[in-house]
Amino acid sequence: MASPPSLTTAQPPMAVSLHGRCTLPPHLLPPSCRIQPPPSTPPLSSKLPVPLRSAARRRRPAPIAPRCAVRAALPTVDRAATPAGSGDGELLLEVRGLTAVIAETGQEIIKGVDLAIYEGEVHAIMGKNGSGKSTFAKVLVGHPDYEVTGGSMMFKGENLLEMEPENRSLAGLFMSFQSPVEIPGVSNADFLNMAYNARRRKLNQPELSPIEFWAYVYPKLDLLNMKADFLNRNVNEGFSGGERKRNEILQLAVLGAELAILDEIDSGLDVDALRDVAKAVNGLLTPKNSVLMITHYLRLLEFIEPRYVHVMENGKIVKTGDISIAKTLEKEGFKAISEI
Ligand code: ADP
Ligand code: MG
């Protein structure tokens, strides 16, 4: 086995915290945040728009309907007709009538989304550019650019609106960003070790030392066909598009989320890289965890087969079905879907 990479960095991982704690994975940092070394830099929190939490406090979420009512409210396909081998677990994510605006301008982007995801299910969201797919995903993880103005989002029975972004992450919600951010001065190894230990603390498990962490992460590199020196490089700094996507999935493999939201993980990947990434994602799927993929392309869905495909239009899910929706889209475009 190769020797462990150095786990020292020019800057302590502390610098990645938005809230004075070292618990925030990069996928939760706003794209505008390029982390600078302390102490000359003012805290990032001072630059952030109105936090989601204050919005949540201002408006009480709508009451949660019982499980059967949620199912009934969704334009679901017949469960028996969907691909076998997944689902039938507990309700993981329940979104009801969600509306959200851009915090800075007040423009409404999410206009009443309903979605229920159960353990062991793979869902995909498709839709034209600008239909609100990424915004929906970012609202779920608590991105500070957006304010929730109505509806509810529950994850494992907990109200996401009352949770800080890092607590959502620690609770098992993971998002891979469409454009992952760079964190200069923080090595991948330190970053992953820190994020993983934060999750272990949350689960009341002992933290791993850098050497123990190396033993834990090394096999995961293999899964993604990534070289070990990847761990010594600063998070996403100078990474190609494909390397960034692989790195996002490495983070997912390390953190082991219950719900992974993957926003266009296929963009910029050649077919070999796509196969590696898909293989890694499939390898992480268990009857207990779920994936929500956002994509434009059928080819990703052929590698990671979804149980449900949703179509988003103008901030709402307007259609739900199985992979045949993606096939129709690929052949005939979005016009065909709105006519079905
Ligand atoms: P999709 O991922 O479906 O392509 P997005 O969710 O990225 O769409 O964007 C939906 C719409 O909201 C777009 O018109 C986009 O320009 C706008 N939007 C999203 N976030 C912001 C933001 N932070 N500031 C300004 N406009 C935004
Ligand atoms: Mg997008």
Side-chain angles (χ1 to χ4, degrees), residues 63-114:
I64 301 298
R67 178 176 167 150
C68 53
V70 174
R71 279 274 168 80
L74 295 172
T76 48
V77 293
D78 178 5
R79 263 172 100 81
T82 57
S86 64
D88 305 321
E90 291 296 308
L91 183 58
L92 207 51
L93 178 77
E94 182 184 52
V95 176
R96 299 273 294 151
L98 186 73
T99 56
V101 299
I102 297 170
E104 215 169 17
T105 61
Q107 185 193 347
E108 188 170 67
I109 305 293
I110 301 303
K111 302 180 180 175
V113 170
D114 293 308

Side-chain angles (χ1 to χ4, degrees), residues 102 104-105 107 109-110 127-136 138 145-146 178 263-264 294 296 312:
I102 297 170
E104 215 169 17
T105 61
Q107 185 193 347
I109 305 293
I110 301 303
K128 287 181 197 162
N129 284 330
S131 56
K133 304 179 298 296
S134 296
T135 302
F136 172 57
K138 286 189 269 184
D145 279 2
Y146 309 99
Q178 196 172 341
D263 193 358
E264 296 200 21
I294 294 170
H296 285 290
M312 185 171 271

Side-chain angles (χ1 to χ4, degrees), residues 155-184:
F155 180 61
K156 297 194 295 183
E158 286 187 75
N159 186 354
L160 284 176
L161 288 172
E162 289 173 355
M163 293 161 77
E164 294 284 355
E166 64 264 46
N167 287 332
R168 300 180 197 200
S169 162
L170 292 175
L173 189 59
F174 174 96
M175 176 173 173
S176 97
F177 272 62
Q178 196 172 341
S179 315
V181 292
E182 294 180 11
I183 310 185

